Amino acid sequence: MRRFRYDAKHDTLKCPRGKMLKAGRAVKHGRFFTSRAADCRHCDLARLCLSNGRVNKAVVLGDDYPALLRARRRRERWSDEDRALYQRHRWRSEGYHGEAKTWHGLSRAIRRGLINMKIQAYLTAAAVNLKRLASASLSILLFVYSQEATSSARHSLRQGKVFGIGLSVASA
């Protein structure tokens, strides 16, 4: 498909040999493009391009195909810094998605349909975020508690108390 050229302005699709594919009927999420059988009959790429038993090429382009092309072109212009930032982002997001799939049931849809899958993904994200919030809150509470414990221990040592018992060093 990458070898076919789509012109969004004129809504045309061109095969790798330069032949135009005709825009056909619209389907649910895109549009059919078909080539002429005469164009494919003498093409040297026909055995690679066509499925067995087909005499012409049929391609479905999604409604968002122009946006995909723009994103591909934008990615080709990335600098080394952009690539490094994206690599870091991928590493972080893959871990997050892996956790959601492995530990929180996102690997399998509970109900059918895109809306129900969105609801499941939102609930899973909420569960993971609440778990992280609880973990962060616990670490903050433990830190504050340890700071208070060390400051009260220092205060007790200054007063000569060990385990709450006052000891007098000068009485011996």
Side-chain angles (χ1 to χ4, degrees):
M1 200 43 226
R2 283 181 181 250
R3 299 178 82 187
F4 284 77
R5 297 289 170 219
Y6 179 68
D7 180 12
K9 183 177 179 182
H10 298 103
D11 194 30
T12 58
L13 188 66
K14 197 181 288 189
C15 82
R17 292 294 181 233
K19 301 295 182 180
M20 300 297 285
L21 278 75
K22 180 180 152 193
R25 63 183 169 88
V27 291
K28 187 174 183 181
H29 297 291
R31 188 163 187 187
F32 260 104
F33 287 86
T34 54
S35 66
R36 294 181 348 176
D39 292 338
C40 293
R41 189 175 304 125
H42 303 293
C43 182
D44 56 341
L45 292 176
R47 63 182 175 79
L48 298 173
C49 189
L50 299 178
S51 302
N52 287 339
R54 296 270 323 179
V55 294
N56 66 339
K57 181 71 175 176
V59 177
V60 177
L61 288 186
D63 291 331
D64 56 349
Y65 192 72
L68 177 67
L69 289 177
R70 285 192 303 274
R72 277 188 193 151
R73 290 183 192 122
R74 195 176 318 119
R75 185 174 181 177
E76 289 171 0
R77 293 189 306 261
W78 279 2
S79 66
D80 290 335
E81 182 183 351
D82 293 332
R83 290 188 208 310
L85 282 172
Y86 183 68
Q87 187 69 26
R88 182 172 175 238
H89 163 76
R90 268 186 37 205
W91 171 77
R92 283 184 159 180
S93 64
E94 286 294 325
Y96 186 83
H97 291 293
E99 178 187 352
K101 288 174 74 176
T102 305
W103 297 104
H104 300 285
L106 199 59
S107 60
R108 172 162 263 176
I110 303 300
R111 302 207 187 327
R112 291 178 184 241
L114 187 60
I115 300 297
N116 290 327
M117 192 62 218
K118 281 184 180 180
I119 292 169
Q120 182 181 349
Y122 290 144
L123 289 173
T124 302
V128 171
N129 288 336
L130 285 172
K131 185 176 82 171
R132 292 197 174 159
L133 179 65
S135 174
S137 300
L138 180 64
S139 63
I140 290 170
L141 284 174
L142 290 176
F143 177 75
V144 169
Y145 180 74
S146 68
Q147 292 297 317
E148 287 177 2
T150 55
S151 69
S152 67
R154 284 189 201 131
H155 182 68
S156 297
L157 286 175
R158 274 191 236 121
Q159 291 182 350
K161 294 181 180 178
V162 178
F163 300 113
I165 303 170
L167 295 176
S168 155
V169 180
S171 64

